[in-house]
Amino acid sequence: MTHILLTGATRGIGAAIAESLSSHKLVGTGSADGDLADPATPARLWAAALDRLDGRIDILINNAGVFEAAPIDLDDAAWTAGWNRTLQINLTAAAELCRLAVRHFRGRGGGRIVNVASRAAYRGDSPAHWHYAASKAGMVAMTKSIARGYARDGIYAFAVCPGFTMTGMADDYLESRGGDKLLADIPLGKVADPAEVASAVRYLAIEAPASMTGAVIDINGASYVR
């Protein structure tokens, strides 16, 4: 049975991913398991997951993240604090888990990493979310670097870049940005369902051929076509 560590598993996309992988042995973490803004948390989560998964992790899925506004008119300290918090949670914590996974996989014949990034990695985001876009762009670049660096070790890395997805976080953002007006920018005419994103994550984690390593899958209703 495949052993999987999934972060951000308690709601939205993460909960849908967990459900899609329910036939496997999965440890799903959420905020109750530790604050990823704390630099010590990733190592603790990894160690706890290893303990629960009998010392073996085959797949790491980094889904945890925050989407918090930091308008440029904030005072300097508040803006920088917001930037650092978002980068720590969305990128640095994911990088630390990826590093632990790669080191673990190298001694076990390989493994897979799936990072849930965002359309913002390529298209950018609102003026209040520079940090969010930067964190997701970093995640994509990190994924490609891992794929290039460790494919010969049987370590494969993939990313998924959703656009707006109908989670609580997306609902609040849609409302704040005018709802229907924002939807007009999506040719499909609707935001993605979490299950749609989960299906792509599951495919990459379980079924995708090795030659796909380094691939980034877009799920954005054609609102940004690369």
Side-chain angles (χ1 to χ4, degrees):
M1 182 174 289
T2 305
H3 291 195
I4 302 169
L5 170 58
L6 164 67
T7 68
T10 56
R11 63 187 183 91
I13 292 171
I17 294 171
E19 182 177 354
S20 76
L21 293 167
S22 59
S23 63
H24 300 273
K25 192 167 183 179
L26 181 142
V27 169
T29 69
S31 57
D33 300 291
D35 182 1
L36 288 172
D38 177 355
T41 294
R44 285 200 299 264
L45 292 183
W46 181 265
L50 272 179
D51 186 58
R52 292 174 60 187
L53 293 170
D54 305 317
R56 189 187 92 239
I57 294 174
D58 304 307
I59 298 166
L60 167 65
I61 303 171
N62 279 310
N63 174 67
V66 294
F67 183 78
E68 298 170 347
I72 63 170
D73 293 330
L74 288 176
D75 68 67
D76 294 348
W79 189 88
T80 300
W83 175 279
N84 290 340
R85 172 177 160 79
T86 290
L87 269 290
Q88 172 63 40
I89 294 172
N90 290 6
L91 180 58
T92 304
E96 290 169 344
L97 286 167
C98 284
R99 174 175 174 268
L100 290 166
V102 168
R103 288 163 61 107
H104 181 71
F105 296 159
R106 281 195 303 187
R108 295 179 172 270
R112 294 191 176 212
I113 295 170
V114 183
N115 290 321
V116 180
S118 169
R119 177 188 71 171
Y122 295 103
R123 181 175 137 150
D125 212 286
S126 80
H129 294 92
W130 295 5
H131 51 350
Y132 179 79
S135 70
K136 295 303 186 177
M139 180 175 266
V140 169
M142 176 177 68
T143 302
K144 292 176 181 288
S145 299
I146 294 168
R148 288 176 58 81
Y150 302 100
R152 290 184 181 178
D153 297 314
I155 298 169
Y156 311 132
F158 313 90
V160 175
C161 284
F164 291 113
T165 306
M166 196 50 70
T167 66
M169 183 169 64
D171 286 341
D172 293 342
Y173 189 75
L174 283 167
E175 183 177 355
S176 72
R177 299 288 294 225
D180 291 343
K181 182 179 178 181
L182 190 65
L183 288 174
D185 189 43
I186 304 174
L188 187 62
K190 73 176 190 71
V191 299
D193 184 271
E196 294 179 291
V197 181
S199 69
V201 172
R202 184 191 184 284
Y203 172 72
L204 294 173
I206 304 296
E207 300 175 20
S211 291
M212 277 189 70
T213 190
V216 181
I217 294 182
D218 297 323
I219 306 177
N220 62 48
S223 61
Y224 187 75
V225 180
R226 292 184 286 125

